[in-house]
Amino acid sequence: MASDVEQWKDELYGTDIRAEIERFAEEGWDAIPDDEHDAWFERFKWYGLYHQRAGQESYFMMRIGPPGGVLEPGQFRQIVEIADDFSRGPAENPEFGNGWIDVTTRQAIQLHWIRLEDVPEIFDRLEEVGLSTVQACGDSWRNIVGCPVAGKDKHEHVDADALATELHDTFKENEAHSNLPRKWKVSVTGCDEGCGQGDINDLAFEPAEKEIDGETVTGYNVRVGGGLSRNEPRFARNIDVFATPEQAVDVAGGISALFRDNGDRENRYNARIKFLVDEWGPEKLRETLQEEYVDFELETAGDDLRESYSYNAGEADGKHDHVGVHEQVDGNYYVGLNVLVGRIGVDEGYELADAADEYGSGEVRLTQRQNIIFTDVDEESVDDLREVPVLEKYSPDPHPFQRGSIACTGTEFCSLSIVETKNRQVRYARWLKENVELPEGVENFHIHLSGCTASCAQPQIADVSLRGMKTRKDGEPVEALDIGLGGGLGEEPQFASWIAERIPADEVPGAIANLLENFDEARDSEAQSFREFVADRDDEELADLIEPEETDYDDPFMHNTKRTWYPYAEDDDLDSSPAPAKADGTPIPSDD
């Protein structure tokens, strides 16, 4: 029997949803029948709208997904202006104020506190500059991710930007591929470094070479079935297919259709393609693709370039995250700026847009590490750009603890999260910067904080992985974190091992400090990376090195933030929530 979600989608899905969104926007929040909230909220996701969590009824998150994270001149500024006008809530965040944009780990932007009544105008303003929220969420092709400097990179073998754009144009609003069993995440990598993170995507195109008819052709090897969620992570598996740039779209369409027809529509927990690959194996998937979904002879896999992958590869001194000043293939420069946990305040967003226009081409690119990049900066302007005041905060040369910090949305807005994340990770990075020295030779250290097992912060591929839990301390329930170690990508990727469970959140900075001190004392040499160190030891040895400890770190979010309407509100009890609210933000009385 099809799941409830499949039945809702059978009734209405795809582009037809927009007219209903516009109708509800005109009639108001109350026009959505109470017993149909789940069905409509599931459908709204197709247009990039997620209803926020309990206590925030009538407010939505909106996701905007440009292919490959490329925001053309004027687009970043338009998003900042939309956030300024529409993305402000009934309470302030103590770290970030009120009004911001969030850069995600999939090269998208999220806005919060969006009211349904404002959505049609926001759609129009996005479309004025060539942007859209279509299929940013839902059971369809999500944002195509890839190297954030594709087309600009000196180390590129094949233009991943061209393929990402072609995939986006082909499969967005494509009726044949708009209703899949579950989300469909696609990555395109064209460079030496492997920064497209293909290993953790449903479908990955990775650079490769192959002799065809006596000529060396550069194209893509294809991997299928990667993903991190549901406590069952998988690396994408090689299906022994090489696609030329001209064949790649047809291969992608064939695999998408194969998933559409064969994925599990009865059990959503088993609906991702990674489970189909588990069941079938790569050989059967390739055989079915060849026999039923493409009309040309598939080439076997070519010679891959994975031995050069350096992105998040665990090297002690490797950066490879596009932060900093780097020369482009045309002799200009791109400048990567660190955005701590991906959040940019509106006022600073205007300053960044001005800087991108004045010193670069106006183009802003988004990375999978929640950072931004200015492109096309001429050599003479680099030093002047560095002196722009807003770059003191959004720095091209951040401290490693800030550079390596990633956090998901957390209980601030997400119904799945168990703990507060973004403010906490900012405070962790700040305390670690002020109190802990990284061991000699370690210039790159990743700490990812995810509020639950959905793994939106990609914790399994971090040096230190943090995952939201609950525990008791001094007889009281408190927020806690599981700690994992040693994850990363590169030629031979590995997932973090979960070493310690339910560590009270205020003891985690001390645990990381002690871990690094113990690592420094016990490692074989200064050349040994943290990831190599972890790989050489079993879980019991590693657990002894963590040593959770209270310090002078102060955590104001130890209480059960999931049971608040907003974790930072002065009166945060669910019963005190001002939601649901009318279009002007005034609460809707319960008897309305």
Side-chain angles (χ1 to χ4, degrees):
M1 180 181 295
S3 67
D4 287 345
V5 172
E6 288 299 324
Q7 294 178 50
W8 297 333
K9 292 193 297 178
D10 284 345
E11 294 169 6
L12 181 74
Y13 208 56
T15 54
D16 291 340
I17 296 168
R18 178 157 181 169
E20 298 303 308
I21 291 174
E22 292 174 346
R23 175 174 68 84
F24 288 131
E26 183 174 350
E27 296 177 4
W29 164 259
D30 283 347
I32 307 175
D34 289 346
D35 61 351
E36 296 179 17
H37 278 188
D38 288 348
W40 283 112
F41 296 163
E42 189 64 41
R43 295 177 182 127
F44 288 176
K45 292 177 184 178
W46 201 89
Y47 267 95
L49 290 173
Y50 269 93
H51 186 248
Q52 293 178 187
R53 68 176 181 85
Q56 299 171 8
E57 290 79 10
S58 77
Y59 291 100
F60 291 81
M61 178 272 281
M62 176 181 284
R63 183 180 296 153
I64 304 156
V70 178
L71 291 171
E72 297 172 359
Q75 292 181 336
F76 180 78
R77 184 182 299 277
Q78 184 79 319
I79 292 171
V80 173
E81 291 176 354
I82 289 170
D84 194 3
D85 291 341
F86 301 107
S87 185
R88 297 184 185 274
E92 287 212 354
N93 181 305
E95 283 289 343
F96 302 103
N98 198 341
W100 59 77
I101 66 175
D102 283 342
V103 182
T104 78
T105 54
R106 289 194 60 79
Q107 296 173 287
I109 282 180
Q110 293 182 172
L111 307 178
H112 290 94
W113 296 121
I114 300 298
R115 299 184 181 93
L116 189 59
E117 293 85 349
D118 295 324
V119 168
E121 183 178 347
I122 296 174
F123 282 171
D124 289 345
R125 287 172 60 172
L126 289 172
E127 289 163 2
E128 285 173 7
V129 295
L131 290 170
S132 172
T133 66
V134 168
Q135 292 172 243
C137 316
D139 294 345
S140 61
W141 280 68
R142 298 290 186 91
N143 191 41
I144 315 297
V145 300
C147 176
V149 290
K152 309 282 186 182
D153 190 6
K154 293 178 67 175
H155 310 289
E156 195 166 51
H157 300 281
V158 59
D159 186 1
D161 181 52
L163 178 55
T165 300
E166 189 174 3
L167 291 170
H168 175 93
D169 294 346
T170 301
F171 296 108
K172 292 290 184 174
E173 299 188 86
N174 182 326
E175 187 173 344
H177 298 270
S178 66
N179 182 358
L180 302 179
R182 281 292 265 119
K183 64 185 75 172
W184 185 242
K185 297 182 175 181
V186 179
S187 168
V188 182
T189 299
C191 66
D192 277 345
E193 298 182 343
C195 54
Q197 299 193 152
D199 282 304
I200 58 171
N201 279 265
D202 296 301
L203 171 62
F205 290 93
E206 298 188 314
E209 295 177 341
K210 187 174 178 67
E211 289 286 330
I212 300 177
D213 298 329
E215 294 186 10
T216 300
V217 177
T218 303
Y220 301 93
N221 280 348
V222 181
R223 291 175 179 254
V224 179
L228 299 178
S229 63
R230 221 195 94 181
N231 268 342
E232 295 191 49
R234 302 283 192 283
F235 289 122
R237 280 148 282 184
N238 184 357
I239 64 166
D240 193 24
V241 169
F242 173 86
T244 67
E246 295 76 23
Q247 295 171 332
V249 171
D250 289 335
V251 171
I255 298 173
S256 172
L258 182 155
F259 176 52
R260 176 197 64 208
D261 297 342
N262 296 279
D264 191 336
R265 291 184 184 266
E266 296 182 0
N267 180 0
R268 287 182 66 78
Y269 290 102
N270 199 42
R272 297 293 294 275
I273 197 170
K274 64 184 179 183
F275 297 113
L276 184 63
V277 180
D278 286 351
E279 180 184 347
W280 282 11
E283 297 80 8
K284 180 177 177 180
L285 190 145
R286 188 192 195 281
E287 179 182 332
T288 305
L289 174 67
Q290 178 68 83
E291 292 179 356
E292 301 181 25
Y293 293 98
V294 296
D295 58 6
F296 55 88
E297 189 70 25
L298 292 169
E299 296 282 351
T300 56
D303 296 325
D304 67 43
L305 303 165
R306 291 176 64 88
E307 72 275 2
S308 67
Y309 278 13
S310 56
Y311 180 84
N312 192 11
E315 300 170 17
D317 61 350
K319 293 188 175 178
H320 313 296
D321 58 5
H322 304 100
V323 172
V325 179
H326 305 271
E327 189 175 4
Q328 297 176 181
V329 69
D330 62 1
N332 288 321
Y333 289 79
Y334 69 84
V335 181
L337 306 180
N338 177 238
V339 181
L340 186 55
V341 302
R343 183 160 288 180
I344 301 172
V346 163
D347 292 342
E348 296 154 339
Y350 284 119
E351 295 178 54
L352 290 168
D354 290 342
D357 289 340
E358 182 173 354
Y359 298 101
S361 62
E363 182 182 76
V364 175
R365 298 195 177 196
L366 315 174
T367 85
Q368 294 192 69
R369 295 204 59 78
Q370 299 181 317
N371 296 321
I372 65 171
I373 296 171
F374 295 165
T375 59
D376 309 314
V377 180
D378 63 62
E379 186 173 7
E380 292 74 21
S381 299
V382 169
D383 288 341
D384 291 338
L385 173 59
R386 282 183 174 274
E387 296 302 315
V388 174
V390 73
L391 266 64
E392 292 181 14
K393 180 175 182 180
Y394 302 96
S395 172
D397 188 27
H399 189 280
F401 284 128
Q402 295 171 313
R403 184 180 196 139
S405 288
I406 285 179
C408 70
T409 297
T411 53
E412 182 176 13
F413 299 112
C414 180
S415 61
L416 299 178
S417 183
I418 301 172
V419 300
E420 198 281 334
T421 55
K422 283 198 182 289
N423 287 32
R424 177 171 281 133
Q425 185 60 31
V426 168
R427 297 170 71 90
Y428 280 177
R430 186 182 298 144
W431 187 90
L432 291 167
K433 176 184 175 183
E434 294 172 354
N435 293 277
V436 178
E437 287 192 22
L438 279 165
E440 188 70 28
V442 177
E443 300 178 20
N444 195 33
F445 197 73
H446 295 168
I447 303 174
H448 296 195
L449 172 53
S450 199
C452 70
T453 60
S455 300
C456 296
Q458 302 172 348
Q460 295 97 325
I461 57 169
D463 295 303
V464 172
S465 313
L466 304 176
R467 180 175 63 192
M469 296 297 291
K470 289 285 191 289
T471 193
R472 299 189 75 84
K473 182 174 180 176
D474 300 328
E476 297 294 328
V478 296
E479 299 204 338
L481 299 169
D482 290 344
I483 299 179
L485 303 177
L489 298 176
E491 181 183 5
E492 298 294 337
Q494 65 187 45
F495 293 127
S497 296
W498 294 102
I499 303 300
E501 296 183 347
R502 300 180 185 273
I503 307 302
D506 62 346
E507 298 178 22
V508 168
I512 295 173
N514 291 331
L515 170 68
L516 286 170
E517 181 178 351
N518 292 330
F519 158 63
D520 194 25
E521 292 175 356
R523 64 176 169 166
D524 298 335
S525 71
E526 290 182 1
Q528 185 179 37
S529 72
F530 182 77
R531 179 169 161 186
E532 292 166 341
F533 176 86
V534 171
D536 287 345
R537 285 158 177 79
D538 62 31
D539 289 357
E540 287 187 11
E541 290 180 90
L542 294 171
D544 290 340
L545 303 178
I546 290 179
E547 299 182 79
E549 180 183 2
E550 287 187 359
T551 63
D552 61 356
Y553 168 81
D554 177 56
D555 195 314
F557 313 116
M558 291 291 287
H559 61 300
N560 188 355
T561 60
K562 193 174 181 68
R563 298 303 304 162
T564 67
W565 75 268
Y566 192 58
Y568 325 112
E570 185 173 345
D571 189 356
D572 64 5
D573 187 85
L574 276 170
D575 293 336
S576 302
S577 169
K582 298 178 181 178
D584 62 2
T586 58
I588 298 173
S590 58
D591 57 351
D592 275 13

